[in-house]
Amino acid sequence: VNHNADEGLDMDEADEGDVVATVDQTTAVGNTDEAFKSTELDEGDTFFTLTKSTMVDGTGGNGVTVEEDDESDGDVNVVIEQSTISGHAENGLEVDEAGDGDVTITIDKSTITGNVEDGVNADEDDSGSGTLTATNSDFRDNGEDALDLDDVSETLDKSQT
């Protein structure tokens, strides 16, 4: 999924269903916006899994964006395993839950470095809880913060920030 004039992959769900996306062993290089973007616009949950993949060198936007509109009361669940997200013009990983649902982010054996803004920017904007758990991962050398978390608690195990 390389060198697109916009997102590499872009998914929008505008009804009461869920967004379920698994990106496995995929490379996204040089897209002019996000390498991957998922937006839930109505009721429903979002499940995004990135495994053994590389999202690098985006000229605009975030590496990966997973977001829920403020009209949605669903949960956002993100799993990043054995993957690299680096060299993007904004954040490596952007997660935004604007409704009443919860945010759960699990990152294992991954590298999210060298992004212009934050390594991970995650917001739980309404009622609901937010958690980020990272194991054996590297979030160093981003332009602003390694982790910029708003109402999202963090647990880091053998991870570098």
Side-chain angles (χ1 to χ4, degrees):
V1 185
N2 301 322
H3 305 289
N4 290 291
D6 202 3
E7 289 91 359
L9 298 170
D10 186 4
M11 298 174 56
D12 295 326
E13 200 285 319
D15 216 343
E16 294 185 7
D18 296 334
V19 174
V20 179
T22 300
V23 178
D24 185 36
Q25 300 180 43
T26 301
T27 301
V29 176
N31 296 292
T32 59
D33 208 348
E34 284 91 353
F36 177 87
K37 180 180 178 187
S38 170
T39 305
E40 170 62 65
L41 298 169
D42 206 338
E43 301 301 316
D45 297 325
T46 301
F47 303 91
F48 174 71
T49 303
L50 181 70
T51 305
K52 298 179 184 174
S53 295
T54 303
M55 308 285 174
V56 296
D57 298 330
T59 59
N62 303 306
V64 173
T65 298
V66 181
E67 60 188 2
E68 254 187 351
D69 189 86
D70 60 0
E71 300 297 318
S72 178
D73 292 332
D75 298 330
V76 176
N77 302 280
V78 176
V79 176
I80 310 288
E81 297 176 322
Q82 298 177 20
S83 295
T84 298
I85 304 171
S86 66
H88 293 279
E90 294 180 14
N91 303 304
L93 173 63
E94 173 82 25
V95 180
D96 187 20
E97 202 290 315
D100 290 334
D102 298 328
V103 173
T104 304
I105 304 167
T106 305
I107 302 172
D108 185 41
K109 298 181 186 103
S110 295
T111 302
I112 303 177
T113 60
N115 299 288
V116 173
E117 293 180 9
D118 303 321
V120 176
N121 184 307
D123 297 321
E124 167 51 68
D125 292 334
D126 208 336
S127 63
S129 64
T131 60
L132 177 142
T133 303
T135 307
N136 298 312
S137 296
D138 187 355
F139 303 97
R140 294 177 294 172
D141 300 324
N142 291 288
E144 293 179 12
D145 297 318
L147 305 172
D148 184 358
L149 309 176
D150 183 16
D151 291 328
V152 175
S153 65
E154 67 184 69
T155 301
L156 302 177
D157 182 26
K158 299 177 186 170
S159 294
Q160 299 176 334
T161 57

